[in-house]
């Protein structure tokens, strides 16, 4: 690492510059609790060492044009890997999180770590070759669709990923590149991506992903919170109906079993076959199967049954979120994932239920909104993880 | 404040010594991320300035006997005030949280801030006179049974405390003593008390109080977490039954309405009048009214109806806690408050429901136990708040 023999304070300045990307020396000094002269001195040395650079893009508030500080573009590159249940996205990023190159392809995590990670390896090597990144890779950040024991970089009993339990992705990836690999849950990385893009402006918020499953990334006091054993934000199995249907986890009435994409598709199929929704019946006969997207399309076409399904799913998710909001009192709940594209009706149902079920104080300033910066937030989050952990670790690689 | 013109680093050492009470220089250096020589130097200066003292009570692990560091006993005193719905406890504490003097009396917060706080004022003055504390009081910490906007020291729409809404306790208390007053929710202070007594050993845990209401203090990454608007841990109004009875908050089926002390008393009264419980019927006829304690006594006497009531209340609380545990993944849930004294059956019901409803990963290392260090934890927490905030603020008072 280029920052290997730096003092603790200089590392703090580097991390401060990374998070605030574009702040002034004064801003950096304030956020780090350093005196202005101390911060000035440290920044000057880091600029001289080629670790921080100044650019003049920050708008002035009068007087001398303030410089905008960031990690130096030539420090090296990081790789962000976003592994979904059915997709693989890889990006090479500069230290300012701008994308140098990227690659996307279909993947199936059920094929197991050997198959999937050899694709990750091949694609990453090819990307590095194309962009002449060999020898410049600082670290790899990877998001996976399951619970991760972050300290050891292993998945723990991931329901969507049979064969990956206790597999050490981190150790496997050591072979690919002489750079440390950090692995985390995909929703945690979405939360980290939002935190970075907002320059840590919001300090207590949730990023909820509603797709095949339901998960949540928790930002607490401006930091990603993983919980005692790495399962914080595991909200998919919160019960919303004691007598609800059985979930894959063995319990009854989990919100994931009743309101995630498969449940919405199931309700849509019922509406199609019962004759309640001509639109969905038509869709089903043409396609042989129904998805949550089809229910969204039906709703947009004015189908009342689809509207009811969406309102029901949103209401159940809102009921679960009300418990979480009562407990955690966040400023924002950002909702992403495929199901979030069902639109305003879905969000209205969520908001209504949360407001119904939460004391005045905890929702006084609460915003429930769709995920900002949708594109690449997972990949950016993976890049942020790579930079942040590498800066803190200072792990030495040959 | 004796530490008013100290550098940031020295303040960090002071706070480190306060939290680790009795750690060695080496331990302090490690916990603060300082080099050993840096920590040594800072400690020596602080010892010379009379802010830190060394005592020889720490057991040696061989070699030179390590000194145990703590804030100097003669730094001054802090006051801890624990205001309950029906009680007032005040203590004068040394910086090592040992109690110099204390006072307890009945109080009724419904009489409003003017009446209650004038008692606080009178009792505190009397305590200070008895212990010759005038001129030595560094800060006051106060716990109150309602939601607090911590930044401004005001209660916000407290359901048990009509007349206190938006009343600035902090401003009122400025008159009493030339020391800053910090106000927080009582359960938050219990959590802070546990955190201090455990020397921050556990970093992610909950302290749940079940009494007239149900509340929770949240420790996250070794710090008290208050949420965006101060209402974090407000778990009493989490819904456990969509069709449950109406709560004072207006919603239906809140856990507080169904499983706190008044609900247990109500279920006990029903069991008494229905003839289901001869023990409780007898109690009711002798006392004219039933409390949660009576249900506990009936259970200890082998009354089956009382057992069912306790199991039901515990099950409902466990159902609510399962949602919280899923989301927060704490290492411990400590349960205190009057209802916690219902005993092992109550805890068994809670544990069973949490384990039923939580994924394996989130409960792998979870402990649900009664509150450790029961006595004075609220008062100690108030003292900890006073020292911690005063150290960080460095607010200057004449």
């Amino acid at each position: 690492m280029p920052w290997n023999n730096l003092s603790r304070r200089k590392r703090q300045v580097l991390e401060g510059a990374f998070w605030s990307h574009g702040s002034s020396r004064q801003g950096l000094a304030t956020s780090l609790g350093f005196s202005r002269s101390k911060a000035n001195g440290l920044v000057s040395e880091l600029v001289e060492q080629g670790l921080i650079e100044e650019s003049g893009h920050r708008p002035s508030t009068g007087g001398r044009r303030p410089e905008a500080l960031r990690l130096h573009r030539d420090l090296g590159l990081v790789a962000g890997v976003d592994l979904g249940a059915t997709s693989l996205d890889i990006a090479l990023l500069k230290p300012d999180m701008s994308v140098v190159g990227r690659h996307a392809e279909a993947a199936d995590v059920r094929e197991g770590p050997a198959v999937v990670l050899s694709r990750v390896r091949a694609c990453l090597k090819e990307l590095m070759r194309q962009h002449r990144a060999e020898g410049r890779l600082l670290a790899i950040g990877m998001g996976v669709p399951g619970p991760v024991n972050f300290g050891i970089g292993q998945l723990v009993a991931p329901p969507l990923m049979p064969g990956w339990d206790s597999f050490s992705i981190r150790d496997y990836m050591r072979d690919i590149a002489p750079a440390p690999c950090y692995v985390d849950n995909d929703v945690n990385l979405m939360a980290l991506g939002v935190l970075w893009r907002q320059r840590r402006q919001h300090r207590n918020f949730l990023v909820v992903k509603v797709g095949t499953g339901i998960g949540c990334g928790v930002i607490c006091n401006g930091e990603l919170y993983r919980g005692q054993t790495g399962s914080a934000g595991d909200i998919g199995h919160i019960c919303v109906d004691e007598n609800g249907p059985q979930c894959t986890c063995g319990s009854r009435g989990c919100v994931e079993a009743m309101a995630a994409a498969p449940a919405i598709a199931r309700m849509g199929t019922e509406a199609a076959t019962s004759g309640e929704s001509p639109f969905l019946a038509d869709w089903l006969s043409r396609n042989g199967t129904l998805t949550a997207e089809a229910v969204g399309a039906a709703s947009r076409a004015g189908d009342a049954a689809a509207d009811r399904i969406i309102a029901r799913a949103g209401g159940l998710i809102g009921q679960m979120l009300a418990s979480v909001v009562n407990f955690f009192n966040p400023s924002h709940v950002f909702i992403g994932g495929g199901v979030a594209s069902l639109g305003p009706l879905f969000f209205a149902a969520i908001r209504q239920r949360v407001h119904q079920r939460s004391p005045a104080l905890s929702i006084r300033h609460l915003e429930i909104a769709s995920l900002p910066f949708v594109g690449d937030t997972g990949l950016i989050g993976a890049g942020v993880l790579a930079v942040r952990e590498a800066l803190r670790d200072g792990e030495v690689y040959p």
Side-chain angles (χ1 to χ4, degrees), chain A:
Chain A
M1 293 292 168
W3 47 74
N4 264 341
N5 294 306
L6 288 191
S7 71
R8 189 180 151 92
R9 287 195 173 190
K10 279 194 181 166
R11 277 175 197 247
Q12 285 179 299
V13 172
L14 282 184
E15 202 184 327
F18 173 62
W19 280 101
S20 61
H21 44 109
S23 94
S24 64
R25 288 173 190 228
Q26 172 76 61
L28 205 56
T30 307
S31 71
L32 293 169
F34 291 169
S35 72
R36 196 168 176 170
S37 66
K38 183 81 203 168
N40 259 327
L42 291 168
V43 167
S44 298
E45 286 176 43
L46 288 165
V47 168
E48 221 158 274
Q49 290 173 278
L51 296 169
I52 279 186
E53 65 179 337
E54 302 172 281
S55 61
H57 298 313
R58 235 175 126 264
S60 170
T61 52
R64 204 173 136 249
R65 187 158 95 156
E67 78 294 3
L69 300 170
R70 54 168 62 106
L71 296 192
H72 201 290
R73 274 162 188 258
D74 296 335
L75 262 184
L77 299 172
V78 296
V81 180
D82 188 4
L83 183 59
T86 58
S87 61
L88 169 61
D89 285 90
I90 304 185
L92 283 178
L93 304 127
K94 288 192 185 173
D96 65 358
M97 296 295 105
S98 59
V99 175
V100 172
R102 56 180 299 168
H103 171 82
E105 65 178 46
D108 185 350
V109 291
R110 290 171 303 179
E111 294 187 313
V115 174
V116 174
L117 291 181
S118 74
R119 277 309 296 162
V120 172
R121 172 193 216 115
C123 297
L124 183 53
K125 284 205 161 172
E126 176 57 21
L127 258 188
M128 285 169 65
R129 197 193 53 74
Q130 283 170 17
H131 298 279
R132 300 203 179 90
E134 292 96 345
R136 291 198 291 146
L137 196 68
L138 299 170
I140 303 166
M142 189 187 301
V144 294
V148 172
N149 183 328
F150 182 74
I152 53 174
Q154 288 184 6
L155 282 130
V156 185
L160 300 175
M161 302 173 77
W164 292 72
D165 191 17
S166 301
F167 184 89
S168 178
I169 298 175
R170 182 188 288 190
D171 286 349
Y172 182 94
M173 295 291 285
R174 272 189 213 277
D175 286 356
I176 298 185
C181 177
Y182 306 98
V183 184
D184 206 342
N185 173 265
D186 56 352
V187 194
N188 282 355
L189 295 192
M190 282 167 73
L192 215 44
V194 172
L195 186 68
W196 185 84
R197 285 184 140 165
Q198 296 190 332
R199 296 178 164 79
R200 272 189 168 155
Q201 187 199 337
H202 304 310
R203 301 188 64 81
N204 305 303
F205 66 85
L206 308 177
V207 169
V208 175
K209 185 180 174 186
V210 187
T212 309
I214 299 180
C216 170
V218 183
I219 301 294
C220 180
N221 290 328
E223 294 276 354
L224 181 64
Y225 173 72
R226 295 188 175 89
Q228 189 63 21
T229 55
S231 77
D234 206 348
I235 57 176
H237 301 282
I238 289 181
C239 178
V240 288
D241 183 355
E242 282 288 293
N243 306 308
Q246 181 127 22
C247 177
T248 49
C249 76
S251 289
R252 286 195 165 278
C254 299
V255 66
E256 185 169 302
M258 295 183 70
I264 293 171
R266 199 179 56 241
M267 289 188 276
T269 307
E270 281 162 19
T273 52
S274 70
E276 210 190 334
S277 165
F279 184 100
L280 289 171
D282 183 50
W283 186 295
L284 184 60
S285 73
R286 277 189 289 116
N287 298 281
T289 180
L290 265 185
T291 58
E293 289 77 44
V295 177
S299 167
R300 279 190 296 279
D303 186 84
D307 284 354
R308 279 195 296 276
I309 293 168
I310 291 172
R312 176 165 162 75
L316 290 166
I317 290 170
Q319 185 181 327
M320 174 275 291
L321 283 178
S323 301
V324 169
V325 164
N326 273 287
F327 170 76
F328 191 67
N329 184 210
S331 67
H332 294 75
V333 178
F334 297 116
I335 304 179
V339 174
S341 62
L342 289 178
L345 194 59
F346 181 65
F347 279 85
I350 293 176
R351 283 193 198 99
Q352 190 191 13
R353 193 66 68 94
V354 170
H355 280 249
Q356 235 173 40
R357 293 265 15 149
S358 304
L361 183 57
S362 63
I363 53 169
R364 196 173 281 184
H365 302 284
L366 175 67
E367 269 186 55
I368 299 176
S370 60
L371 190 66
F373 330 110
V374 175
D376 290 341
T377 299
L379 278 175
I380 300 265
V384 171
L385 181 77
V387 173
R388 178 192 184 283
E389 295 303 317
L391 272 173
R392 293 201 182 176
D393 265 16
E395 220 174 318
V396 187
Y397 276 76

